[in-house]
Amino acid sequence: MTHPLWAPWRLEYVSNADDQEGCIFCRAAAANDEGALVVHRGDSAFVLLNRFPYSSGHLIVAPLRHIGDFAQLSVEEAGEIHALTVRALEVLAAAYRPEGFNIGWNLGRPAGAGVVDHVHEHVVPRWQGDTNFMPVLADVRVIPEHLQATHARLAAGWNA
Ligand SMILES: [Zn+2]
């Protein structure tokens, strides 16, 4: 069976996002780093772990500003998101030695976005054959490392 390119984040961030008050990214941006799994905060954008990762180290880069329209990203925000993405690739490469990455934006629910009113970019480390042992279409996925451990590792790597 062939997996569509964007299938990885179908089971995105928060299948239960709608059950909670407010925007999950705005809440994370305002919360303490460890509880919110925030790896790094910049001036206009930040980096956090996906709570429902497709693979270990699955990161999300989002603007701090609550905007749902990709076209509304300012040049400064877009530039910082790019710089944070580059740094995320470096940190993930050092921590997990992935063999590849998917980087992508899901705009709108049909495209797989679980949160549609606060745009965000996925950075997903990939290994040869990972889709073979990860049941990407099932509700239960095997993630070999606990999220808090992943957070500690990547936050330390980010500041190294
Ligand atoms: Zn928001």
Side-chain angles (χ1 to χ4, degrees), residues 90-158:
E90 291 173 351
V91 171
L92 288 168
Y96 293 105
R97 304 273 168 219
E99 297 168 291
F101 294 95
N102 288 114
I103 299 174
W105 299 77
N106 299 331
L107 305 178
R109 290 209 190 277
V115 175
V116 295
D117 53 0
H118 193 141
V119 292
H120 52 282
E121 179 201 66
H122 293 264
V123 179
V124 184
R126 300 298 302 270
W127 289 264
Q128 197 69 42
D130 57 12
T131 54
N132 294 340
F133 62 82
M134 274 196 200
V136 293
L137 300 178
D139 286 336
V140 178
R141 283 154 296 156
V142 177
I143 302 296
E145 189 174 53
H146 189 276
L147 283 172
Q148 293 294 349
T150 305
H151 175 265
R153 191 169 174 181
L154 293 179
W158 199 284

Side-chain angles (χ1 to χ4, degrees), residues 4-133:
L5 180 60
W6 303 114
W9 27 90
R10 252 209 188 143
L11 305 161
E12 193 176 281
Y13 210 76
V14 247
S15 25
N16 62 351
D18 296 336
D19 300 340
Q20 300 179 321
E21 290 282 316
C23 169
I24 190 155
F25 293 118
C26 288
R27 279 205 314 275
N32 74 79
D33 290 356
E34 195 171 322
L37 301 174
V38 173
V39 172
H40 177 80
R41 280 189 180 78
D43 296 328
S44 66
F46 72 121
V47 181
L48 74 167
L49 276 175
N50 191 334
R51 277 187 193 282
F52 298 92
Y54 174 68
S55 66
S56 286
H58 180 166
L59 292 174
I60 289 176
V61 185
L64 290 169
R65 202 159 57 99
H66 183 81
I67 47 173
D69 183 354
F70 185 81
Q72 284 181 16
L73 284 172
S74 69
V75 169
E76 177 193 307
E77 287 164 337
E80 185 166 29
I81 287 168
H82 178 76
L84 293 178
T85 301
V86 170
R87 180 64 182 144
L89 296 178
E90 291 173 351
V91 171
L92 288 168
Y96 293 105
R97 304 273 168 219
E99 297 168 291
F101 294 95
N102 288 114
I103 299 174
W105 299 77
N106 299 331
L107 305 178
R109 290 209 190 277
V115 175
V116 295
D117 53 0
H118 193 141
V119 292
H120 52 282
E121 179 201 66
H122 293 264
V123 179
V124 184
R126 300 298 302 270
W127 289 264
Q128 197 69 42
D130 57 12
T131 54
N132 294 340
F133 62 82

